[in-house]
Amino acid sequence: GGYSQRLPSASALGKIFTALPFGSPIYQMLELKLAMYIDFPSHMNPGILITCADDIELYSIGESEFIRFDKPGFTALAHPSSLTVGTTHGVFVLEPFNHLEYRDLEYRSCHRFLHKPSIEEMYEFDAVCRPRKFFQQGFAGSDIPSLKLEAEYVYTDSLFYMDHKTARKLLAFYEQIGTLHCEIDAYGDFLQALGPGATVEYTKNTLNVTKEESELVDMRQRIFHLLKGTPLNVVVLNNSKFYHIGTTKEYLFHFTGDSSLKSELGLQSVAFSLFPSIPECSTNKPCIIQSILDSTCSVKPGSVVEYSRLGPDVSVGENCIISGAYVKTTAVLPAYSFVCSLSLKMNGHLKYSTMACGVQDNLKKNVKTLSDVKVLQFFGVCLLSCLDIWNLKVTEELFSGNKSCLSLWNARIFPVCSSLSDSVTTSLKMLDAVQNKSTFSLNNYKLLSIEEMLFYKDVEDMITYREQISLEITLNRKQPDLETSY
């Protein structure tokens, strides 16, 4: 699922392998998805199920009920959501329904599908539902029943299924066109073509497109005509909740904050790690996942540390994300910092680079010209000022890839080092210089952008590093008196 620019710690291995804070060894999003969908195949005709790698759907239905994927065309799950949530998701415009009471599970037909509509569009196309009576007990810890009883709401999307015949039709179309030169969205470009109310207008709307290519509109129109008339069936889960963890803000909230997801899934504050105990009284706690931390370490509430080794007297501020790092010596990681280390294979040699920025930095924000680079911000500071601090010049060479799309994502500002610990230390010096308005020259380093790091990534070495941490944790648990050395 995508480049993961809003949660870059998941970008190297993919969002579907995001570590979750429970299990021994640690569960990943893939295992959770398989567990959540374990009942689906036995009530499903041949076809394809498509899900996102950064969302979690929890639902309750009657003991004798099950979700069926057995109708022709597409079948999608739908969840009641506020109108505000609807603006960042797909929204179903359902055909009229005569039941006055909510049922946990309802099979409905969809008139048309709106992709990230405005609130005005939701009203215009009759996507907004008015409260009905609730038929069953509300979902534990959920605010959904009160939402339905007291407020207007919409039904938003999560996963969807297409039957074998439809999948074959799309495959035949793909084989006919040969190479695809533009990015097609499985949600926006497939689902908007469905239902009797679908119109071709959406194909010209490129507001939600990551990268706009010249043939995009034409390709979308061809897909629209290919799929037009295909039914869109909707499985309404009135007693359900949809969680998204694909941004740094959501990730930190659900793993460390007072999130209902945390209690519903039993997420832990310390999961499969060696770490001094966390006081029970605090509501907001740090979250430590498969990591080894020295007993003199401190991690402030609201921060997540995963797949990392932190040595003596390392201090992590609040609301940080630390991933794949190795900090040997005394260091202070400032509050709201994002630190993620990657192994690289460059010219046959193993190297390391650490992306370090602010958790609130917008890596997707881009400008078209070098003169506009001043609009970009790194750790809340104008990027131009940061470049001065690092003794770097604003030139085209500073950016990788598309030179008319300049962003923190493709800014060559991250040093390449020969060891993992040196890589983290060097990137922390960059952050420190920006915070303290001192200087730290990057002139003598080979510099990469995050975009280039992903091109050079050495997945095998990153997995080996994680396995070494896992083995050490396992051995230490068997021998509790064993001292961890750095």
Side-chain angles (χ1 to χ4, degrees):
Y3 300 114
S4 195
Q5 290 173 302
R6 296 181 299 167
L7 185 63
S9 48
S11 57
L13 274 78
K15 285 185 270 195
I16 196 64
F17 300 110
T18 300
L20 300 169
F22 65 106
S24 178
I26 287 299
Y27 287 107
Q28 299 175 114
M29 183 62 91
L30 177 61
E31 281 94 14
L32 180 61
K33 289 272 174 184
L34 292 172
M36 289 191 301
Y37 306 156
I38 199 166
D39 293 328
F40 288 178
S42 57
H43 306 290
M44 181 185 283
N45 287 350
I48 294 173
L49 186 80
I50 294 173
T51 180
C52 288
D54 57 10
D55 64 36
I56 296 167
E57 306 90 12
L58 301 181
Y59 61 90
S60 171
I61 55 178
E63 282 187 26
S64 59
E65 293 182 306
F66 43 80
I67 295 173
R68 297 193 311 271
F69 298 92
D70 56 1
K71 291 189 171 67
F74 286 74
T75 301
L77 299 192
H79 312 270
S81 303
S82 68
L83 274 61
T84 308
V85 167
T87 60
T88 56
H89 290 79
V91 172
F92 300 102
V93 179
L94 300 177
E95 298 286 7
F97 194 58
N98 55 13
H99 279 284
L100 294 174
E101 293 178 327
Y102 289 104
R103 296 178 181 275
D104 286 349
L105 178 65
E106 296 173 351
Y107 289 93
R108 306 276 299 269
S109 291
C110 186
H111 182 68
R112 72 182 296 171
F113 177 85
L114 309 173
H115 188 54
K116 300 184 179 179
S118 66
I119 289 176
E120 293 72 29
E121 286 171 326
M122 293 179 212
Y123 281 111
E124 181 189 342
F125 294 112
D126 290 328
V128 180
C129 304
R130 273 79 190 174
R132 292 184 273 153
K133 292 178 187 171
F134 197 59
F135 183 69
Q136 292 242 358
Q137 182 66 34
F139 195 31
S142 167
D143 58 355
I144 295 299
S146 60
L147 165 77
K148 291 185 294 196
L149 290 171
E150 296 169 13
E152 294 178 322
Y153 61 96
V154 290
Y155 284 112
T156 54
D157 63 343
S158 58
L159 62 84
F160 70 87
Y161 155 93
M162 66 175 90
D163 71 346
H164 184 254
K165 183 181 174 185
T166 307
R168 292 289 307 180
K169 185 193 280 192
L170 279 166
L171 181 59
F173 173 72
Y174 177 67
E175 286 169 346
Q176 174 200 330
I177 60 173
T179 308
L180 198 61
H181 295 289
C182 58
E183 187 178 299
I184 293 301
D185 182 336
Y187 283 79
D189 294 328
F190 291 173
L191 299 187
Q192 282 185 106
L194 309 176
T199 61
V200 76
E201 274 72 37
Y202 75 85
T203 56
K204 297 179 184 135
N205 179 0
T206 56
L207 284 176
N208 295 309
V209 174
T210 309
K211 204 163 139 191
E212 192 177 336
E213 287 94 349
S214 55
E215 64 180 70
L216 179 66
V217 173
D218 175 60
M219 189 55 63
R220 281 174 147 191
Q221 288 178 351
R222 291 175 68 181
I223 291 170
F224 170 79
H225 293 295
L226 179 79
L227 293 177
K228 179 144 179 64
T230 306
L232 176 53
N233 311 289
V234 177
V235 181
V236 170
L237 296 169
N238 280 313
N239 209 5
S240 68
K241 291 193 80 174
F242 172 93
Y243 294 96
H244 189 260
I245 58 166
T247 69
T248 53
K249 184 179 177 182
E250 292 165 337
Y251 176 83
L252 288 173
F253 172 67
H254 288 308
F255 283 14
T256 69
D258 190 18
S259 160
S260 50
L261 176 67
K262 202 172 174 184
S263 56
E264 283 158 5
L265 277 187
L267 303 183
Q268 300 167 324
S269 295
V270 179
F272 192 57
S273 294
L274 303 179
F275 179 56
S277 60
I278 296 172
E280 275 307 313
C281 54
S282 56
T283 311
N284 260 35
K285 298 176 182 176
C287 178
I288 315 297
I289 306 170
Q290 195 168 318
S291 294
I292 300 173
L293 280 66
D294 186 85
S295 58
T296 57
C297 266
S298 70
V299 182
K300 289 278 175 63
S303 289
V304 176
V305 178
E306 64 162 12
Y307 300 124
S308 295
R309 292 174 179 268
L310 304 184
D313 299 314
V314 173
S315 170
V316 178
E318 62 188 23
N319 299 305
C320 295
I321 295 174
I322 313 299
S323 178
Y326 182 16
V327 187
K328 270 185 178 179
T329 53
T330 303
V332 176
L333 283 72
Y336 293 91
S337 56
F338 176 89
V339 177
C340 174
S341 301
L342 268 59
S343 306
L344 313 173
K345 185 63 67 73
M346 302 181 75
N347 299 322
H349 298 287
L350 181 60
K351 300 287 183 183
Y352 301 89
S353 191
T354 297
M355 47 180 109
C357 55
V359 289
Q360 297 168 322
D361 287 349
N362 184 350
L363 302 184
K364 293 180 92 165
K365 183 172 184 175
N366 63 78
V367 295
K368 296 193 184 310
T369 62
L370 289 173
S371 57
D372 289 329
V373 166
K374 58 182 178 290
V375 177
L376 302 177
Q377 291 205 320
F378 176 94
F379 220 130
V381 177
C382 165
L383 183 59
L384 276 184
S385 305
C386 297
L387 296 173
D388 282 342
I389 286 167
W390 301 324
N391 197 20
L392 297 176
K393 299 277 187 293
V394 186
T395 63
E396 283 206 346
E397 284 306 302
L398 184 71
F399 295 91
S400 63
N402 185 350
K403 305 298 183 189
S404 63
C405 187
L406 314 175
S407 65
L408 287 186
W409 184 258
N410 65 351
R412 289 182 171 129
I413 55 175
F414 300 108
V416 176
C417 297
S418 53
S419 80
L420 178 55
S421 57
D422 284 352
S423 163
V424 179
T425 303
T426 309
S427 290
L428 286 177
K429 286 177 181 172
M430 283 175 62
L431 277 189
D432 186 63
V434 169
Q435 278 224 308
N436 296 312
K437 297 187 169 52
S438 53
T439 54
F440 178 66
S441 177
L442 291 176
N443 264 340
N444 298 326
Y445 291 94
K446 162 82 175 166
L447 301 175
L448 294 181
S449 65
I450 299 175
E451 180 180 57
E452 288 173 318
M453 280 189 217
L454 296 177
F455 176 78
Y456 290 115
K457 67 183 179 183
D458 186 336
V459 171
E460 281 188 28
D461 189 70
M462 284 185 272
I463 290 173
T464 300
Y465 176 63
R466 294 179 179 192
E467 285 172 347
Q468 286 167 347
I469 291 174
S470 172
L471 182 63
E472 199 168 322
I473 292 167
T474 304
L475 287 172
N476 195 287
R477 287 182 164 187
K478 288 176 182 170
Q479 307 169 55
D481 297 329
L482 189 70
E483 285 293 321
T484 304
S485 58
Y486 290 85

